[in-house]
Amino acid sequence: MSSATNPIIEQLLAHRSIRQFKDKTLTNHQIHELIEAAQHASTSTFSQQYSIISVTDQRILSEFAEITGHPWLLKSGHYFVMIADQYRNLQIARKANADPFVLHTTDKFLAAVFDASIATENVMVAAESMGLGATIMGSILNDSKRVIDLLGLPELTFPLLGIAIGYPADQPELKPRLPQEEVHFVNQYQLPSDKTQLTQYDQVLSDYYRSRGSNNRVETFSHHIVSELGIGHHVRADLLSNIKSQGFLISQAED
């Protein structure tokens, strides 16, 4: 079925990150529907290894604005934080006197990351279907320990993503994506030997940045990737230690 006759695909292809919001909060019913949509996302082994925190305290939101460097989140209609969560299952294991070791492993940490990430996308798709807009914010990891403390997160939980969501106050231009040949392969990983596609994409993205209505600049995809490499090594350098301090990534020597 082509996107022209499939409204769901049309919606997915029209996704934009929204950072300017109208002064209007989400209703409790809307929040309930978004959480329900998240809960019906695919989940590894049906273990539902994530939680969602609605942040409504203005003091905490102000600290999130400082952590992320994005004060516009304060004007969103609602703010979610997506949590990788094995703590709930840890309580079940303890009640059953079962060995909870596996919940601490890298495998189960990744499973919780997958569950939370997939649920995040369900929130986004549901929100956009309701006429809302949002931005997923990985920038809460700029100070993951502070986020853990602000949210009172127990062991075997870890904050992954924020979602600023609300009624769009603008409609940004659609940002062009990489050619499919650069991201889709058959049977084995194989980047195209012909670099023409990437060169053409650099030009397309450069044209987009120069002509868009706000924050226009001179930029290509290749330059963007290289500039990302220039971010200081100290940025988020504590992520691994913070993940471990929450009880994850414990390995066990083979017998």
Side-chain angles (χ1 to χ4, degrees), residues 177-245:
R177 264 40 179 188
L178 281 161
Q180 284 196 12
E181 293 82 358
E182 291 286 338
V183 300
H184 175 227
F185 318 123
V186 178
N187 295 325
Q188 293 186 333
Y189 187 96
Q190 183 63 62
L191 286 175
S193 56
D194 182 0
K195 303 304 179 183
T196 304
Q197 291 270 8
L198 186 56
T199 300
Q200 291 175 345
Y201 178 64
D202 275 339
Q203 186 59 56
V204 168
L205 201 59
S206 176
D207 293 343
Y208 159 80
Y209 279 122
R210 281 202 308 269
S211 62
R212 70 180 183 176
S214 62
N215 193 27
N216 54 332
R217 60 184 188 269
V218 177
E219 181 74 282
T220 67
F221 184 71
S222 296
H223 178 266
H224 165 68
I225 296 301
V226 172
S227 65
E228 286 289 299
L229 302 178
I231 296 175
H233 294 176
H234 66 283
V235 176
R236 305 186 192 180
D238 59 353
L239 268 179
L240 180 58
S241 61
N242 289 343
I243 291 169
K244 287 184 174 181
S245 71

Side-chain angles (χ1 to χ4, degrees), residues 81-114:
V81 179
M82 307 299 290
I83 309 294
D85 186 359
Q86 295 291 0
Y87 180 76
R88 179 172 47 248
N89 293 339
L90 175 64
Q91 306 315 302
I92 295 171
R94 286 173 173 168
K95 184 176 180 180
N97 292 319
D99 183 358
F101 172 80
V102 70
L103 298 178
H104 296 264
T105 63
T106 302
D107 175 48
K108 284 301 183 181
F109 175 70
L110 288 176
V113 171
F114 300 153

Side-chain angles (χ1 to χ4, degrees), residues 11 26 29-31 33-34 125-132 167:
Q11 177 189 318
L26 270 61
H29 177 69
Q30 287 173 314
I31 294 167
E33 284 193 320
L34 292 171
V125 174
E128 290 174 355
S129 76
M130 296 160 62
L132 302 170
Y167 291 87

Side-chain angles (χ1 to χ4, degrees), residues 20-170:
Q20 301 294 326
F21 300 97
K22 296 179 181 177
D23 185 17
K24 186 176 181 181
T25 59
L26 270 61
T27 66
N28 288 336
H29 177 69
Q30 287 173 314
I31 294 167
H32 173 80
E33 284 193 320
L34 292 171
I35 299 299
E36 192 168 36
Q39 287 190 273
H40 283 269
S42 299
T43 166
S44 177
T45 67
F46 194 59
S47 295
Q48 303 179 69
Q49 301 148 117
Y50 67 94
S51 290
I52 304 171
I53 296 179
S54 285
V55 182
T56 61
D57 186 311
Q58 287 301 310
R59 179 189 65 82
I60 298 176
L61 285 171
S62 293
E63 295 213 37
F64 274 116
E66 183 178 311
I67 289 167
T68 63
H70 298 307
W72 48 261
L73 71 83
L74 295 169
K75 298 184 180 298
S76 64
H78 198 73
Y79 198 81
F80 293 119
V81 179
M82 307 299 290
I83 309 294
D85 186 359
Q86 295 291 0
Y87 180 76
R88 179 172 47 248
N89 293 339
L90 175 64
Q91 306 315 302
I92 295 171
R94 286 173 173 168
K95 184 176 180 180
N97 292 319
D99 183 358
F101 172 80
V102 70
L103 298 178
H104 296 264
T105 63
T106 302
D107 175 48
K108 284 301 183 181
F109 175 70
L110 288 176
V113 171
F114 300 153
D115 278 9
S117 300
I118 296 168
T120 297
E121 185 61 15
N122 264 34
V123 170
M124 295 292 289
V125 174
E128 290 174 355
S129 76
M130 296 160 62
L132 302 170
T135 291
I136 298 172
M137 301 178 66
S139 48
I140 65 169
L141 295 180
N142 289 350
D143 193 340
S144 55
K145 181 61 171 64
R146 190 170 165 192
V147 172
I148 289 167
D149 292 341
L150 284 168
L151 300 180
L153 297 184
E155 63 179 315
L156 289 186
T157 62
F158 197 78
L160 295 176
L161 299 164
I163 311 176
I165 190 166
Y167 291 87
D170 67 348

